[in-house]
Amino acid sequence: MKAALRLWAALARGASGAAWEAYFAEAPEGEALALLRLSLGQRPKAGGKAGDLRAAAQRAANLPDWLWTEAEAFAGSLGEAAALCLPLPAPEAALPKLSALLAALDQGVGPEGFWPLLPPEGRRVVNALWLGRFRWAPDFGPLLAGLSAAKACPAPVLAARLARACGKNAAPLSAALWAKGADVARPAEPVVPAWVGPLEALGARGDWVVDWAPEAPQVLAVHPEGPVLWGPGGALGAPPEAARWAAGLPPGSVILGAAKARGVQVLDLRAWAGEAWQARPLAERRAFLATALKPPLGLSPGLSGDWAALTQSPAPFPSARLLLRALALPDQAWLWAPPSLAPPPLTALLLYIERGASGPERLSFGLARGNDFAPLVSLPAPSDPAAKALLRALAAEAVARFGPVQQVPPRLCGEIAHEGLVPAPRRKLGYQLLNPRLLRLFPDPELSALTPLADLVAGRQSP
Amino acid sequence: MTKAPLLIPTPAGIYCPAGDFYIDPARAVDRAVITHAHADHARRGMRGYLATRGTAVALAARLGKVSVQVLGFEEGLRIGGVTLSFHPSGHLPGAAQVRVEGPGGVWVVTGDYKTEDDGLAEAYAPVPCDVFLSECTFGLPLFHWPQAAEVAAEMVEWWAQSGGAVPVLAAYSLGKAQRLLHMLHGRGPGPILAHPVIAEMTDRLRAAGYPLPPLSAWPGGAAPKGALLLAPPGARAAAWGESLGASHWADASGWNAVLRKGRTGGFVLSDHADWPGLCGAVATSGAGAVHLMHGFTESFARYLSETGRNAAPWPEEKRGGW
């Protein structure tokens, strides 16, 4: 379990692929599989009552009731207090295996037996698992990259096999996950898309295709192991319909597409039957797809007209949520629609600053609603020195504090670009911006400068 | 007849009427006995300071030209009707407990202390006494420090895996920074460099005889590949921190032991005593009465009282005692 604890600590300190690779290179097979099981959300069934855990921990720590209560209040949770209040394990104590710990919890064995062997970091895990409060959802991109590098197995193959281990009828994890074999074709590896923007230079129109369904699953890879879908940020899955979609694709193919109700609208081709296509021109890739695809796969509509015409007339685009994908760019990044195709930026008032270790981390902006302001959006604080200086001054005169979140006087406005507005009943304002980003901060305390909510809503409703 | 207490709480701090001096006074007084040179214990404006050699070096760096009388560890000094001596507290180089002996018995003021020997600061020495004035910054049973060697290994791993971003350890310029330097020197993939304030303080302590390796000041800008930077916490948001470019910051503090209170990714390393350390220090003092300062005074006093000690919080101005 030592390697797992080191990995968790490294991830908490911002490590990613290298830490995963180091873990998978070091951890024994059973331990790595146990950790992967946790990473897929397959936790032991929560077994214990909080009261029982507290009683056991209090006994083990030999603390009076009132002192335990004070410690728990300071620690913030029972699991944390039970992790910290016990004496540290003796130096000669051998750490238990993660796999053994999970197996014991599976059988309903309580965590007390593990406490004397575990440091606080390990006790945190076992307590949270026992109480059903274990939350860990690692980013699959770095995990797969690390596992792939450590086991010399292609990431898409691993992804496909891991996808089979998800869900109710999942096959149990085994070392076959990273086994190499002649049956495994190695397709071009799909790049997990990352969001960037706003877009400053569009480049040649031929470098672009339109993604008409930006919120659908985005990548379809087909392997001998079965189809797998990748989404933005590395989300992974294998829905039942994926098999139907993939039926017309040869093994070792990777297409980029948007899953829709009746099939997949294919945007681009990364690999076909194990052969990499991504170095070929976009036009050639799409021409091949036009002949090779069979229903329910279909080629997405192309982008007609030139940029000037497109930006002058948004008629071809169904909504402001349109995304464009720069398939010919080397990093294969996704890019937002140019500002001219998006709704005009809005002006909102800075209401709260959330402080981090190094200063302002997030800014909350709001719009007027009645005689008050309601928060609309929270955005990362800008990092340029001038903005930081302004924010430092504002933070110093905060009018109210809620932990790290500080309410500030209404003296700064933010110009916020976005891709549209959707209803969000649980938000105070009733709406949520799509893909918001802060363009600039400027001092303007005039209420008239703020975008009226009514205008925003009206803009949303206009065609 | 009840003996008059040797030390009493006053608005200016801990006062010794028989010797007419204050210990770590909060206000300007004529004679200030300083346990260590951190800003919450050593302040400007005293007519005269009494401190150990290591603390005097740090006082000169922090306060400039002040009148400091140096007293070695274990040396007795007669002041009025009492005898005063310094004993190592282990908190940082030069940090001392103050032992006061007089008609009212033997009193010990710990200042800040840690019972673990870090190999740099003079190691904590238990001092038998009648009355023990102890700090209890971490006076809850949540706090159990891991072995410093384990923490050092974690730091080296973090340093080695930092990739393209320069790793920066945030640490107080006096004490924690030198401890980290002492722990990590020669163990990572590159040199250790420091913010100029830390480098200057380190130079002064090395010149005073503490076993510290040479430490180059880093003026700012992109650091050499593989280097680890030590910087005061405030440097992160300052121009120096912003000039570094891509950087990974982590701090080393006892508060990092508690997930909710610590900073994400911070290391658990404290220069204060943890719960077992505090309980052990109280026990080894043999004191018949214990007063608690700084931190969880009420809780720790109640715990000690319920386990057979005569313990109470020491009135402190900032806590509303005055």
Side-chain angles (χ1 to χ4, degrees), chain A residues 6 12-13 19 22 63-64 66-67 70-71 73-76 80-81 84-88 124 357-358 385 388 392, chain B residues 140-145 154 157-158 236-237 242 255 257-261 263-267 296 299 302-303 306:
Chain A
R6 283 171 54 201
R13 295 187 181 112
L63 293 174
W66 66 268
L67 185 53
E70 286 196 16
F74 187 80
E80 178 78 350
L84 295 174
C85 280
L86 307 176
L88 295 177
R124 271 189 195 116
S358 63
K388 273 195 171 178
R392 272 199 296 270
Chain B
L140 278 182
L142 295 165
F143 299 104
H144 298 256
W145 304 150
E154 279 181 45
E157 187 173 317
W158 168 76
R236 183 170 185 176
E242 288 171 359
W255 299 113
V258 178
L259 216 54
R260 190 167 70 97
K261 302 291 176 184
R263 297 197 174 99
T264 305
F267 297 95
F296 298 96
S299 304
R302 182 175 171 187
Y303 175 77
E306 290 185 1

Side-chain angles (χ1 to χ4, degrees), chain A residues 148-419:
Chain A
S148 171
K151 305 295 184 187
C153 185
V157 174
L158 289 169
R161 292 173 175 176
L162 270 176
R164 288 197 310 170
C166 299
K168 284 184 178 175
N169 301 317
L173 283 170
S174 75
L177 181 71
W178 51 73
K180 291 179 279 292
D183 60 319
V184 179
R186 178 168 182 160
E189 296 183 11
V191 177
V192 178
W195 297 113
V196 295
L199 184 63
E200 299 299 334
L202 291 174
R205 189 197 58 75
D207 291 343
W208 294 77
V209 291
V210 180
D211 181 353
W212 302 93
E215 292 179 347
Q218 295 294 322
V219 180
L220 178 62
V222 181
H223 305 283
E225 307 285 341
V228 58
L229 297 176
W230 293 44
L236 184 68
E241 57 268 38
R244 186 170 54 87
W245 297 336
L249 293 174
S253 299
V254 180
I255 59 170
L256 306 186
K260 304 187 80 177
R262 294 183 179 176
V264 175
Q265 201 171 63
V266 179
L267 297 160
D268 195 14
L269 173 66
R270 302 293 297 276
W272 189 265
E275 182 187 354
W277 273 70
Q278 63 196 90
R280 304 191 192 187
L282 174 64
E284 188 180 337
R285 300 197 296 262
R286 286 178 58 88
F288 174 79
L289 285 172
T291 59
L293 293 176
K294 296 169 186 168
L297 306 182
L299 189 63
S300 69
L303 190 62
S304 57
D306 58 20
W307 283 121
L310 288 169
T311 53
Q312 289 298 317
S313 165
F317 303 102
S319 80
R321 294 158 62 186
L322 172 73
L323 298 172
L324 300 175
R325 178 183 275 149
L327 291 172
L329 296 182
D331 59 359
Q332 298 291 330
W334 291 29
L335 300 167
W336 293 112
S340 56
L341 298 178
L346 60 87
T347 301
L349 201 61
L350 178 61
L351 299 179
Y352 298 99
I353 296 176
E354 184 177 341
R355 285 185 161 207
S358 63
E361 267 189 1
R362 293 193 72 81
L363 309 178
S364 294
F365 295 89
L367 293 176
R369 190 181 60 178
N371 294 325
D372 202 358
F373 296 103
L376 171 67
V377 64
S378 169
L379 297 168
S383 56
D384 59 286
K388 273 195 171 178
L390 268 173
L391 293 169
R392 272 199 296 270
L394 272 174
E397 52 175 322
V399 295
R401 293 164 185 268
F402 308 99
V405 180
Q406 297 173 16
Q407 186 180 349
V408 295
R411 293 180 189 166
L412 269 185
C413 290
E415 190 175 46
I416 298 168
H418 62 105
E419 312 297 341

Side-chain angles (χ1 to χ4, degrees), chain A residues 28-44:
Chain A
E29 187 178 278
E31 291 294 273
L33 292 169
L35 188 85
L36 282 169
R37 173 190 160 184
L38 283 182
S39 72
L40 292 173
Q42 297 171 4
R43 300 181 292 272

Side-chain angles (χ1 to χ4, degrees), chain B residues 49-212:
Chain B
Y49 295 81
L50 180 69
T52 65
R53 178 171 302 283
T55 296
V57 167
L59 285 178
R62 288 198 49 242
L63 305 183
K65 193 174 181 182
V66 291
S67 170
V68 184
Q69 180 181 344
V70 171
L71 182 67
F73 284 114
E74 324 288 350
E75 292 176 13
L77 179 67
R78 189 75 184 168
I79 309 176
V82 300
T83 301
L84 179 149
S85 55
F86 286 131
H87 303 265
S89 77
H91 181 55
L92 55 92
Q97 305 173 78
V98 180
R99 179 183 185 274
V100 183
E101 182 172 2
V106 176
W107 291 49
V108 167
V109 179
T110 63
D112 292 342
Y113 67 100
K114 73 170 181 293
T115 52
E116 176 189 10
D117 181 4
D118 64 16
L120 175 64
E122 296 85 352
Y124 173 82
V127 184
C129 58
D130 301 309
V131 182
F132 192 53
L133 268 70
S134 171
E135 65 119 338
C136 59
T137 306
F138 292 102
L140 278 182
L142 295 165
F143 299 104
H144 298 256
W145 304 150
Q147 294 289 320
E150 292 174 17
V151 180
E154 279 181 45
M155 288 176 171
V156 170
E157 187 173 317
W158 168 76
W159 178 4
Q161 289 186 350
S162 58
V166 59
V168 189
L169 272 175
Y172 291 123
S173 56
L174 169 62
K176 188 63 70 63
Q178 288 76 32
R179 185 179 179 193
L180 291 172
L181 174 65
H182 188 261
M183 286 169 63
L184 301 174
H185 173 68
R187 299 187 55 181
I192 298 179
L193 307 170
H195 187 279
V197 171
I198 290 177
E200 186 198 343
M201 184 64 81
T202 305
D203 287 345
R204 286 176 182 254
L205 290 171
R206 188 187 314 104
Y210 289 97
L212 287 163

